[in-house]
Amino acid sequence: MRIANRTIQFLFSLSFLILPLMASASGGHSESADKEFSATELINSHIGDSHEFHIADWNGHAISLPLPIILWTDNGLEIFSASEFHHDNTGHHVAKEKFVRYNEVIFYADKFETLKEEDKSAFNFAARPLDFSITKNVFSMLMSVIILLVLFITVARSYKKNSMAPKGLAGFLEPLVIFVRDDIAIPNIGEKKYGKYMPYLLTIFFFIWINNLIGLIPFFPFSSNLTGNIYFTFVMAFITFLITTLSANKAYWGHIFAPPVPKALYPIMWPVEIIGMFTKPFALMIRLFANITAGHIIILSLISLIYIFKTVAIAPVSGAFVLFMSVLEMLVAALQAYVFTLLSALFIGQAVEEHDHH
């Protein structure tokens, strides 16, 4: 009886996990039912950003939540709903009589018509307005900020009311805060200076962890891939680079511009040391982006097998691997938050470390 109950629970959990993704795979947009299934399109649509949340498909029509479009154009500010594009992402439907959307990039309609395929890029600012829209990733980021504020404001209030051992949410978060302090900040930055950087380290640890978890939930209002976005990881790594550079002491700069080698080697060592300053944040950026994106791609590829082979016979095998990968991704979500925080603390520690002179 127990085995039967566990089997039912397993199948229910599995279907709950993959049904939203299967719904997207079977439709995506109202016109995609007539097209050959493309695993590449499915994967790109899920790991990329979007101006709307695709929820499901019903009778060949997409059910989605349009998000605000905020553009700074040649004629000033333009604000309207993403529903104006009518789910078109191919550059055919003209919104507000002057904008088209192509691969989630908004162009001026008149200029888009004259562009060659290689010019239809997000970096072609001459043909597109500046886009400050609330996209799916931005929505997810704002939601994670609200979650963080609610969590830690609640914990702070509980500490004011309770002077004894923490309970509930405070009891859950306190070991994590102590872990960041005792196992990340103090060993890498030092007991004298770690306190100054604890707010930043705690912020990036919980911020990355929560967004990693949000990306694993395959239905609205979650399902974004914020930490798998190279622009997001670039900004996070750049902030660490700024803090490291601005906190650096004389010993740090001395090691770069006056390394302990013969002066004849300085012309060789200077470029190496300066490049090393930038490879550290670059490694931070690529590590987080690649690990999170790879997990999403593997899960979506496993689901795509059902549609590639066009049989439900492979669904139990594919579903079992999806469930296994999803559980593994929960571990990776915490691990990548830890690694990013650890390396940030390490880089900061190298910049503020005091060297003994004998």
Side-chain angles (χ1 to χ4, degrees), residues 317-339:
V317 177
S318 179
F321 277 108
V322 167
L323 187 61
F324 170 76
M325 281 301 303
S326 297
V327 173
L328 185 62
E329 279 294 289
M330 292 180 67
L331 174 63
V332 172
L335 182 62
Q336 289 305 314
Y338 164 72
V339 170

Side-chain angles (χ1 to χ4, degrees), residues 112-123:
F112 180 81
E113 294 177 353
T114 62
L115 293 179
K116 297 179 181 179
E117 193 64 32
E118 60 270 19
D119 295 328
K120 297 175 182 179
S121 163
F123 297 100

Side-chain angles (χ1 to χ4, degrees), residues 14 18 22 301-322:
L14 183 61
I18 67 173
M22 292 176 67
S301 298
L302 290 169
I303 292 174
S304 298
L305 292 177
I306 301 171
Y307 298 93
I308 292 172
F309 290 100
K310 298 180 180 180
T311 174
V312 296
I314 200 173
V317 177
S318 179
F321 277 108
V322 167

